[in-house]
Amino acid sequence: MYNRLMKEQIDSTRLPQHIAIIMDGNGRWAQKNGMERYMGHQEGAVSVRKVVEAAGEIGIKYLTLYAFSTENWNRPKEEVDALMALLITTIQRETGDLMKNNVRLQAIGDIERLPEASKSELHWCLNETSKNTGLTLVLALSYSSRWEITKAVHDIAQAVKENRLHLEEIDEALIDKSLTTKNIPDPDLLIRTGGEHRISNYLLWQLAYAELYFTPTYWPEFRENSLFEAIVDYQKRERRFGKTGEQIQSEK
Ligand code: IPE
Ligand code: IPE
Ligand code: MG
């Protein structure tokens, strides 16, 4: 059970519309507890369930979770295999609750690189939940920002080459639309667990004006209350978007 006091500190009129999370620290959590790394990922899947439920419950509209990066393909094969298998079991176990909680699943990343079984399970769940209207849960899988931006540049150049697009039409809105996150608003809040202070190739374009929140808590220990704490911290900040504090105050 989480701490109701922390939840009650959240101002429901000023929620971040979109929270992005770098779920880090599974391996170190497992090591700390004398377990194999994959067990850290398993426990991390429990945190995913709790955080998704809590986010939906308080009315967050978009939650994007970094589940597997392009660079993570370079991990030892056993670990990659364990993560791909975990994707399947997690989808099988959680889709019922996603339906019950009205959560729509989306995926961003180079999904084609996933093994066939993981891919088909994912596609099944994407389809199954596609009509849900509550929280949109975006899984970043085989994702990296540089992969995504490179692909967008390629698509735009192709359109110009084929005369489907004029150079003058290339603006920020078109670039937004060319990314895998099209139709998803930029994150307001980025959370990274596990103590590192870096972005690790995540949503580089989209995070331009996100508030950054770093916590030493390992992902398997990051539960509902930790999410509420991050939101309370976010709500104490003044987002200025390049303006002065006085301007922001007078706009209120
Ligand atoms: C995050 O935890 C999960 C993935 C990157 C898939 P890690 O596996 O990176 O855990 P640490 O950073 O080694 O503790
Ligand atoms: C970032 O974590 C990727 C995910 C959480 C999926 P990593 O553990 O891979 O990041 P680095 O390598 O420490 O930067
Ligand atoms: Mg890590």
Side-chain angles (χ1 to χ4, degrees), residues 91-101:
I91 290 174
Q92 287 170 344
R93 199 181 49 225
E94 303 298 339
T95 303
D97 276 353
L98 295 182
M99 294 308 292
K100 198 173 75 196
N101 296 325

Side-chain angles (χ1 to χ4, degrees), residues 5 12 24 33 35 48 64 98 101 103 138 141 147 152-153 167-168 197 207 214 233 237 240 248:
L5 279 176
S12 60
D24 197 20
N33 291 290
M35 300 173 184
V48 169
T64 301
L98 295 182
N101 296 325
V103 177
V138 184
L141 279 166
W147 164 81
V153 170
L167 267 189
E168 303 69 44
H197 296 94
L207 290 174
F214 297 99
D233 187 279
R237 304 183 189 187
R240 289 195 283 273
I248 300 298

Side-chain angles (χ1 to χ4, degrees), residues 23-29 31 37 41 66-69 72 75 79 83 192 194 196 218-219:
M23 310 184 288
D24 197 20
N26 293 353
R28 279 166 288 159
W29 177 86
Q31 272 154 3
R37 289 182 60 87
H41 298 312
Y66 208 0
F68 193 84
S69 72
N72 290 149
R75 290 196 178 192
E79 182 162 344
L83 283 164
R192 181 172 188 141
E196 311 296 354
Y218 293 141
W219 176 251

Side-chain angles (χ1 to χ4, degrees), residues 16-21 60 62-65 187-189 191 227 231:
Q17 187 183 14
H18 181 178
I19 300 177
I21 306 186
I60 302 295
Y62 296 88
L63 178 67
T64 301
L65 302 179
D188 303 292
L189 170 63
I191 299 172
L227 177 74
I231 295 172

Side-chain angles (χ1 to χ4, degrees), residues 221-238:
E221 286 170 348
F222 189 96
R223 298 283 157 97
E224 298 95 324
N225 209 46
S226 324
L227 177 74
F228 300 151
E229 223 175 307
I231 295 172
V232 168
D233 187 279
Y234 162 89
Q235 292 186 329
K236 289 188 185 131
R237 304 183 189 187
E238 181 181 67

